[in-house]
Amino acid sequence: MNTERNKERNKERNIPFEIIRNLNKRNDWISEEELTIFYNNIKKIYDNLLEGKQFEYKRLIKFINYLDTKYTRQKLLRYAAFHLACSSTPIAKEIKFFDLEGEDSIVNFVNKLVS
């Protein structure tokens, strides 16, 4: 039963990924390999949460909340990595960038968290 529910949730999470994958192909923000690694790491965090392992998820939420206080939500919604990290479906025409830079990079945070 849980396996079926997990499969359905993974299918729902693929929608934002496919939108962002298509945007990335047009904008050439990062390589397909980097995008896939980042997405798979996000999936690991959410899959672990479904299995009752909350450590990475709690750290991710804390980081997202930090970004939310540093930047406006409107600005964050312009970043593809933010949508993947939050598992939210982006509006393609509003996405202008892939990731924040430096210490605020969502990709770097997630990849370090999962590795």
Side-chain angles (χ1 to χ4, degrees):
M1 176 94 167
N2 277 343
T3 304
E4 285 302 313
R5 195 169 75 208
N6 290 352
K7 285 180 184 178
E8 190 61 33
R9 286 184 180 159
N10 281 336
K11 185 178 174 184
E12 290 171 8
R13 274 187 284 198
N14 285 339
I15 295 168
F17 178 68
E18 290 306 321
I19 292 169
I20 291 168
R21 174 186 264 165
N22 289 333
L23 286 169
N24 188 53
K25 286 178 183 176
R26 282 187 278 172
N27 294 295
D28 198 29
W29 289 316
I30 63 174
S31 73
E32 180 74 18
E33 180 182 5
E34 290 171 308
L35 178 60
T36 301
I37 289 169
F38 174 61
Y39 178 67
N40 286 337
N41 285 337
I42 290 291
K43 279 180 37 177
K44 284 180 193 174
I45 291 171
Y46 282 95
D47 287 344
N48 285 343
L49 177 65
L50 293 173
E51 294 174 9
K53 302 172 189 169
Q54 299 179 6
F55 175 76
E56 291 100 350
Y57 178 76
K58 286 182 178 181
R59 298 262 329 264
L60 175 62
I61 295 304
K62 186 175 181 179
F63 184 67
I64 294 299
N65 288 337
Y66 156 76
L67 294 176
D68 233 357
T69 60
K70 186 172 181 178
Y71 304 98
T72 65
R73 176 57 63 117
Q74 200 61 31
K75 179 176 181 169
L76 292 173
L77 290 173
R78 296 170 56 200
Y79 289 86
F82 178 79
H83 286 280
L84 286 177
C86 294
S87 194
S88 68
T89 303
I91 298 171
K93 66 181 181 182
E94 293 180 5
I95 304 297
K96 304 297 180 200
F97 312 100
F98 186 77
D99 193 15
L100 296 158
E101 295 186 9
E103 66 183 22
D104 295 337
S105 168
I106 298 167
V107 173
N108 289 342
F109 179 83
V110 167
N111 290 345
K112 286 178 188 173
L113 181 62
V114 173
S115 64

